[in-house]
Amino acid sequence: MQTNEQKIRERQANFRQTNAFAMQHGMMLGIWAIGCQACYIIGLSSPLFSNLWLLMLIGIPVVTALLTLRLRKIVGEDVSFPFSRGFVHGILTVMYASVWAAIATFVYMQFFDKGYIFDYFVKAFSTPEMQKLLQESGLEENIRTSTNGMTIIDFIDGLRTFGAANFAAMIIYLYMLSCPFIALISGLVSMRRVKYNTYR
């Protein structure tokens, strides 16, 4: 029978192990995320990479779950792996990955983009077909109302001064919003109960 102190030490050791692997797995997921972002940029001018970006984006929860299952395998088949441990590993992995994705975003926006993304969207929203669609849908009027009279083109041009660091922070924020849902999948997929052994 374990004492409370032994249980606390055991949980602390589990968290340290989970965090250590989450750092490694976060780097792997970060590479996946960077590839996903690269496909998005290339996909602006290539339908093939646009489809690949969508697949890689959908694949982020899948990769996270697979990495959590890898941790479960390392822990051992004869050891219980509760939902909470998979959930924590999922959250930490995604958050570490967001740092790598944010760094890549900062480097790209600061040194390589040169306004390419904004030029693309300005051109896309300036076509007569898109202008007609915006007016008919009422989106143009909604944008003017919420931005003090700015058109969508004005809004996009305003983003040019947003700064690379702000875009990097936005990436981290988006990952923070999505990580609980991704971690939920990881926790559910990886949970395992072993009656004849204790969680460690």
Side-chain angles (χ1 to χ4, degrees), residues 19-37 56 59-71 74 89-90 92-101 175:
N19 183 56
F21 278 100
M23 289 180 69
Q24 298 176 30
H25 294 163
M27 184 171 66
M28 297 176 191
L29 185 62
I31 293 171
W32 179 277
I34 292 170
C36 182
Q37 292 173 191
M56 291 188 73
I60 288 177
V62 177
V63 173
T64 307
L66 289 174
L67 291 170
T68 305
L69 288 171
R70 176 183 289 187
L71 172 62
I74 292 170
H89 176 268
L92 292 174
T93 298
V94 174
M95 291 310 301
Y96 285 127
S98 73
V99 174
W100 291 103
Y175 274 87

Side-chain angles (χ1 to χ4, degrees), residues 17 69-81 85 192 194 196-197 200:
Q17 183 188 42
L69 288 171
R70 176 183 289 187
L71 172 62
R72 189 182 77 171
K73 185 177 180 181
I74 292 170
V75 168
E77 296 298 326
D78 61 338
V79 177
S80 291
F81 197 91
R85 190 167 188 182
R192 176 183 61 204
V194 178
Y196 56 83
N197 205 336
R200 55 180 187 181

Side-chain angles (χ1 to χ4, degrees), residues 158-195:
L159 291 176
R160 297 178 189 271
T161 61
F162 202 50
N166 289 321
F167 283 107
M170 189 183 298
I171 290 293
I172 292 178
Y173 179 70
L174 290 172
Y175 274 87
M176 286 177 63
L177 288 177
S178 62
C179 73
F181 303 101
I182 298 174
L184 179 65
I185 295 171
S186 295
L188 290 172
V189 167
S190 64
M191 65 185 298
R192 176 183 61 204
R193 295 172 184 264
V194 178
K195 294 182 179 179

Side-chain angles (χ1 to χ4, degrees), residues 76-150:
E77 296 298 326
D78 61 338
V79 177
S80 291
F81 197 91
F83 167 81
S84 59
R85 190 167 188 182
F87 184 82
V88 169
H89 176 268
I91 281 188
L92 292 174
T93 298
V94 174
M95 291 310 301
Y96 285 127
S98 73
V99 174
W100 291 103
I103 291 171
T105 299
F106 177 83
V107 171
Y108 173 77
M109 296 302 293
Q110 183 72 20
F111 302 107
F112 297 101
D113 184 72
K114 309 298 183 184
Y116 169 74
I117 292 177
F118 307 113
D119 291 341
Y120 171 84
F121 282 109
V122 166
K123 183 178 179 181
F125 282 105
S126 297
T127 61
E129 297 83 2
M130 183 59 72
Q131 287 293 317
K132 182 180 179 182
L133 181 62
L134 289 172
Q135 290 175 2
E136 290 178 349
S137 65
L139 184 59
E140 182 73 26
E141 184 62 31
N142 290 336
I143 293 172
R144 286 181 183 275
T145 303
S146 59
T147 58
N148 295 321
M150 293 174 63

